[in-house]
Amino acid sequence: MSRSSSSRPEHLDNPGSPQSGEPVYLMIGKMRRSHGIHGEMQMEVITEFPQTIKPGKNVFIGDEKREHTIATSRPAAKFLIVSLEGFPTRESVDGFKNEYVYIKAENLAALPPGRLYQHEVIGMQVMDEDGGILGEVVDILVTGANDVYVVRGQSGEELLLPAIKSVILSMDRESKTMIVRPQQWA
């Protein structure tokens, strides 16, 4: 297996499922060390919706996406303390240490109208108000104030578009298109 030239782990350079027709998996966390003696682990949360990580929820762990069910979940400092059904001891969860945790995209909670998950924005065709094709969203930069969409044009040039109402005029989930008004700089 080849490594990409970036410093990011290979599985982060190609999130989701590589094969057509397979389910799309989204990373929601990373298992850390065990906690106590009853099969609990610290889970680093990598989602904006940690409240969805609750007992009864099916998750997929590791590169093999092994399916497991959350037995318990509670907040603790900057982690969640979770346990999995069928793993009652500290020793039984040792194999999960440093494994990523995923859910199927089809099981995500519905967002309010007009809101999209980041994985739905990646890959959108971007057009200006006149119908001119600007490129495709290839990345999202999270800045704190607002996200910034990285759009790559046909010739490889990149355009940065702040995710604000005056620039992003509309996004259509079904057609995977975004209509924008790029900022004009004097």
Side-chain angles (χ1 to χ4, degrees):
M1 202 180 319
S2 66
R3 296 287 289 169
S4 74
S5 60
S6 76
S7 61
R8 291 168 46 158
E10 184 173 295
H11 65 280
L12 294 180
D13 290 331
N14 186 16
S17 299
Q19 302 297 320
S20 176
E22 285 187 2
V24 174
Y25 295 95
L26 300 173
M27 187 184 307
I28 61 167
K30 184 175 184 179
M31 292 297 201
R32 292 300 184 178
R33 63 181 182 84
S34 57
H35 179 84
I37 61 170
H38 298 292
E40 293 182 313
M41 293 194 75
Q42 289 183 343
M43 180 177 155
E44 177 183 346
V45 177
I46 310 173
T47 176
E48 292 182 39
F49 304 101
Q51 66 275 14
T52 63
I53 304 168
K54 58 187 176 185
K57 178 91 169 180
N58 287 343
V59 295
F60 301 83
I61 301 177
D63 291 338
E64 301 82 25
K65 313 285 189 301
R66 296 175 312 268
E67 186 171 10
H68 298 282
T69 302
I70 301 284
T72 63
S73 173
R74 68 180 191 279
K78 60 183 180 177
F79 295 101
L80 283 179
I81 303 297
V82 299
S83 66
L84 302 172
E85 290 182 4
F87 296 87
T89 66
R90 176 185 203 108
E91 295 76 23
S92 67
V93 297
D94 282 344
F96 295 115
K97 185 176 181 178
N98 294 320
E99 294 278 2
Y100 286 96
V101 180
Y102 304 86
I103 60 169
K104 287 184 180 179
E106 65 194 38
N107 295 334
L108 290 171
L111 291 176
R115 302 258 337 252
L116 297 167
Y117 285 104
Q118 288 186 346
H119 76 277
E120 295 176 305
V121 176
I122 301 286
M124 280 192 159
Q125 183 80 16
V126 180
M127 297 181 283
D128 63 23
E129 294 174 280
D130 300 324
I133 297 174
L134 300 175
E136 178 180 319
V137 178
V138 296
D139 200 1
I140 300 174
L141 306 175
V142 179
T143 66
N146 54 266
D147 289 349
V148 176
Y149 301 142
V150 179
V151 178
R152 183 167 297 133
Q154 291 285 53
S155 62
E157 77 282 359
E158 289 186 348
L159 172 65
L160 301 177
L161 297 172
I164 57 176
K165 288 181 181 185
S166 63
V167 174
I168 310 301
L169 304 179
S170 68
M171 291 191 284
D172 186 328
R173 176 182 283 122
E174 281 71 41
S175 67
K176 300 262 315 156
T177 58
M178 179 185 300
I179 308 298
V180 302
R181 178 182 300 136
Q183 293 177 307
Q184 300 297 319
W185 304 102

